[in-house]
Amino acid sequence: MNQHIRVRFAPSPTGPLHIGGVRTALYNYLFAKKHGGDFLLRIEDTDQTRFVEGAETYIKESLDWCGISYDEGPEQPGDCGPYRQSERKDLYAEYVDQLIGNGRAYYAFDTAEELDAKRKEAEQQGTKFSYGPKNRDDLNNSLHLSAEELKVRLENEEAYVIRFKTEAHKTLELHDEIRGYIEVDTEVLDDKILFKSDGMPTYHLANIVDDHLMKITHVIRGEEWLPSLPLHVSLYQAFGWEAPKFAHLPLILKPSGKGKLSKRDGDQLGFPVFPIEWIDPASGAVSAGYREEGYLPETLTNMLALLGWNDGTDQEFFSLEEMVEKFELSRVHKSGAKFDPEKTEWFQHHYLQEQPVEDLVDQFLPILASNDVYPEKTYVKEVVATIKERATFVSDFWELSFFYFVAPTEFDAKSAKKAWKNDSEEWMRALIGKLESLEDFSKDKVQAEVKDWINTQGLGFGKIMQPLRLSLVGAMRGPDVFHIAASIGKAETLSRLHFAMEKLS
Ligand code: GLU
């Protein structure tokens, strides 16, 4: 490809960005970077009625957290700015005038009441009202007004909208990079509103004009925009502009596969559907975000990349750099991709293991402090290195390792029943005697000595190891008992054994 690739992510700041939106941004980013092109962020905020305070900041913060950086955008100006449509509003009128001039758009004066009446009438006849090629000649618009009549109406400041004049009796040949060729008969289309009398363009007009002016070569967006494709391609034709290539990404489905994953599913299904936490400015309601739930951005981007794409092999772990290298639009699937929260945790487990231990320690220290323990960093490092394999989140660390820092104060009843037998007290007393005699309390030494001692006593291993573990941990879990004993030291090991004997006998 010797064309200079330019793609954009064009969210409307109407609320938090759903993970489907993050995937759209990600695929655009991957495609741009793969081809040495540019990735733009354009804020589509022409619909002031749907504007939500804080949504734009939220979008930028989400992309930033995911590592999806843009080359041009509101705070990253390039040659095609501004990148917020509300700051470009003066420019759209000129383009809609072009379409009026060449007969591809017209003024429509129908009032809300008139249109409502038409809708009701159609409903009564069991049909649906649609403003388009079949009926526009009978409606209240400039198509059948003389130039003079139109002038008078405009001078009288009659309220109007400007509609696109869909070409009648035409079959549009559309092409989608993922879906291939699609034929659409213009008879099924309506004359969409391009411009409102408040001087604001609608999404359709602003989107096409901006994609053209911003030299966008590929429009990569969600499948929900596929129905707009005929209009968008028709608009390019009406302007006489070369259209970009289009790729509509498959839907992300609920885990059940039944229906599209919606913004509300997060609360209902118990996993986040937003990249970062969102606090609704109107109600104060909090929606969970992956970041705040302790996920790593690598988890989210890897998981999202595979929702609708693979590289043709069985590989499942991809760093962002690797995705850039391997990404192909032609390998994006057509059918919906089922969201899988368990798989997401599986990715998270993997990426947590990849984190430098120092970083994990830094995240664990505040949790330790909140439990009122302030150990040496090197000690915490050793503990984290030992237990992280069992953890999916840093927030799992305390539960997996508290016994390295504090003595158990109670014993899990089920474990105690299983591990502490009638003769356990006696054997633990003997073990204490053995441990007291050890000068070197390193893990290897303790392990070798205790194992030897068990053997010479002719005992089963469990007879000693089970009550020992119970005494040190408070339950029948945790890593190697000798590692725990050596880590907490001789005095603490003995003290825990005494406490257990007191409590359990
Ligand atoms: N503003 C649209 C949205 O919110 C953009 C759709 C497109 O990419 O064309 O998704």
Side-chain angles (χ1 to χ4, degrees):
M1 239 181 269
N2 33 25
Q3 178 191 32
H4 183 70
I5 301 289
R6 282 173 66 82
V7 296
R8 81 317 189 260
F9 177 51
S12 300
T14 55
L17 190 60
H18 174 263
I19 49 171
V22 180
R23 187 195 57 175
T24 300
L26 176 66
Y27 282 20
N28 273 285
Y29 169 85
L30 297 177
F31 183 73
K33 297 300 122 187
K34 159 117 195 185
H35 296 289
D38 303 321
F39 171 53
L40 284 66
L41 174 67
R42 183 173 72 227
I43 301 295
E44 302 211 322
D45 57 349
T46 53
D47 189 351
Q48 294 294 328
T49 59
R50 296 184 60 215
F51 178 82
V52 172
E53 190 68 46
E56 182 184 325
T57 309
Y58 177 93
I59 291 165
K60 290 187 285 203
E61 202 179 324
S62 298
L63 296 181
D64 192 43
W65 179 67
C66 291
I68 305 173
S69 56
Y70 42 90
D71 304 290
E72 296 169 33
E75 268 76 49
Q76 186 84 10
D79 296 337
C80 299
Y83 294 87
R84 208 176 272 118
Q85 286 185 330
S86 57
E87 290 166 23
R88 303 169 65 82
K89 61 173 185 255
D90 295 340
L91 132 184
Y92 304 109
E94 169 194 330
Y95 290 95
V96 79
D97 282 349
Q98 265 186 42
L99 295 183
I100 298 261
N102 69 12
R104 296 307 313 275
Y106 59 90
Y107 293 90
F109 297 96
D110 319 76
T111 62
E113 292 75 33
E114 282 169 355
L115 293 176
D116 250 5
K118 295 277 177 206
R119 257 179 230 120
K120 288 217 178 82
E121 201 180 300
E123 246 168 62
Q124 274 160 9
Q125 289 162 8
T127 57
K128 220 174 155 245
F129 174 75
S130 146
Y131 204 122
K134 286 190 206 133
N135 59 359
R136 63 190 168 210
D137 286 336
D138 307 324
L139 295 162
N140 188 2
N141 57 51
S142 62
L143 290 173
H144 42 80
L145 294 180
S146 68
E148 194 48 39
E149 284 167 325
L150 175 60
K151 196 164 159 243
V152 172
R153 286 218 190 180
L154 293 177
E155 274 168 6
N156 288 343
E157 291 187 7
E158 264 189 55
Y160 66 82
V161 295
I162 296 174
R163 287 182 183 269
F164 184 63
K165 189 176 174 200
T166 309
E167 281 179 289
H169 313 295
K170 205 178 155 188
T171 303
L172 292 172
E173 269 256 308
L174 310 172
H175 186 260
D176 180 272
E177 297 295 300
I178 296 165
R179 280 144 228 275
Y181 284 95
I182 308 165
E183 277 193 359
V184 176
D185 195 333
T186 55
E187 292 299 297
V188 304
L189 303 178
D190 58 345
D191 288 353
K192 283 274 184 291
I193 297 175
L194 300 178
F195 208 79
K196 293 170 288 174
S197 37
D198 64 1
M200 281 299 243
T202 59
Y203 153 72
H204 299 294
L205 180 74
N207 184 272
I208 265 56
V209 168
D210 285 347
D211 280 348
H212 173 70
L213 295 177
M214 294 181 179
K215 305 183 179 69
I216 297 303
T217 57
H218 293 72
V219 169
I220 303 170
R221 61 185 175 188
E223 185 181 301
E224 63 273 26
W225 298 102
L226 195 57
S228 300
L229 186 60
L231 169 65
H232 293 182
V233 169
S234 303
L235 274 166
Y236 280 100
Q237 290 171 355
F239 279 117
W241 296 335
E242 190 192 335
K245 292 199 160 70
F246 290 93
H248 290 86
L249 306 177
L251 293 176
I252 298 183
L253 306 174
K254 292 184 207 298
S256 63
K258 290 189 190 113
K260 181 174 155 182
L261 186 70
S262 81
K263 288 192 173 183
R264 285 175 308 278
D265 286 334
D267 301 328
Q268 279 160 18
L269 301 174
F271 55 81
V273 293
F274 299 116
I276 64 178
E277 188 174 86
W278 168 254
I279 302 173
D280 187 272
S283 67
V286 180
S287 302
Y290 279 88
R291 183 177 66 183
E292 288 71 15
E293 296 287 302
Y295 286 88
L296 291 158
E298 293 89 329
T299 301
L300 189 61
T301 47
N302 196 152
M303 178 272 277
L304 287 175
L306 292 187
L307 277 184
W309 170 84
N310 65 55
D311 75 339
T313 73
D314 288 340
Q315 184 173 341
E316 300 207 81
F317 297 121
F318 294 91
S319 68
L320 208 51
E321 295 73 37
E322 223 176 334
M323 287 182 225
V324 166
E325 192 188 304
K326 307 252 168 89
F327 187 78
E328 300 281 356
L329 264 186
S330 61
R331 294 210 60 89
V332 175
H333 318 153
K334 284 197 220 21
S335 51
K338 249 193 265 177
F339 182 76
D340 183 348
E342 278 155 35
K343 186 92 185 250
T344 312
E345 287 206 12
W346 180 73
F347 279 119
Q348 168 62 19
H349 179 266
H350 171 81
Y351 284 109
L352 187 84
Q353 310 310 312
E354 306 256 290
Q355 289 268 295
V357 182
E358 284 76 11
D359 291 3
L360 295 175
V361 168
D362 287 340
Q363 294 171 61
F364 189 29
L365 287 176
I367 300 177
L368 289 169
S370 72
N371 283 288
D372 229 8
V373 294
Y374 303 90
E376 290 282 337
K377 230 173 152 169
T378 46
Y379 182 73
V380 180
K381 192 171 162 189
E382 162 76 19
V383 171
V384 168
T386 310
I387 55 102
K388 68 169 189 159
E389 196 202 322
R390 296 154 196 248
T392 303
F393 302 100
V394 172
S395 60
D396 298 335
F397 286 4
W398 174 252
E399 201 38 43
L400 290 170
S401 73
F402 67 89
F403 40 83
Y404 279 99
F405 307 101
V406 292
T409 51
E410 52 198 35
F411 298 90
D412 171 59
K414 240 169 123 187
S415 304
K417 193 156 178 259
K418 191 170 154 250
W420 199 270
K421 302 285 193 273
N422 286 338
D423 56 357
S424 293
E425 183 184 357
E426 190 188 323
W427 282 115
M428 288 304 101
R429 185 165 298 117
L431 176 66
I432 288 174
K434 175 71 204 166
L435 295 175
E436 267 171 345
S437 73
L438 298 181
E439 292 277 312
D440 177 356
F441 213 73
S442 65
K443 175 185 167 271
D444 290 346
K445 187 73 184 165
V446 178
Q447 179 168 332
E449 291 280 344
V450 172
K451 282 189 172 170
D452 250 15
W453 176 75
I454 295 176
N455 284 332
T456 51
Q457 306 291 316
L459 293 173
F461 227 62
K463 205 157 206 50
I464 300 302
M465 297 307 288
Q466 291 201 358
L468 174 59
R469 176 177 292 282
L470 183 68
S471 305
L472 299 189
V473 174
M476 293 311 285
R477 55 188 182 82
D480 183 354
V481 183
F482 297 111
H483 184 266
I484 302 171
S487 300
I488 61 178
K490 185 168 163 179
E492 178 68 16
T493 300
L494 295 176
S495 142
R496 289 190 193 183
L497 281 166
H498 282 297
F499 179 71
M501 284 159 62
E502 218 171 275
K503 272 284 239 208
L504 293 166
S505 299

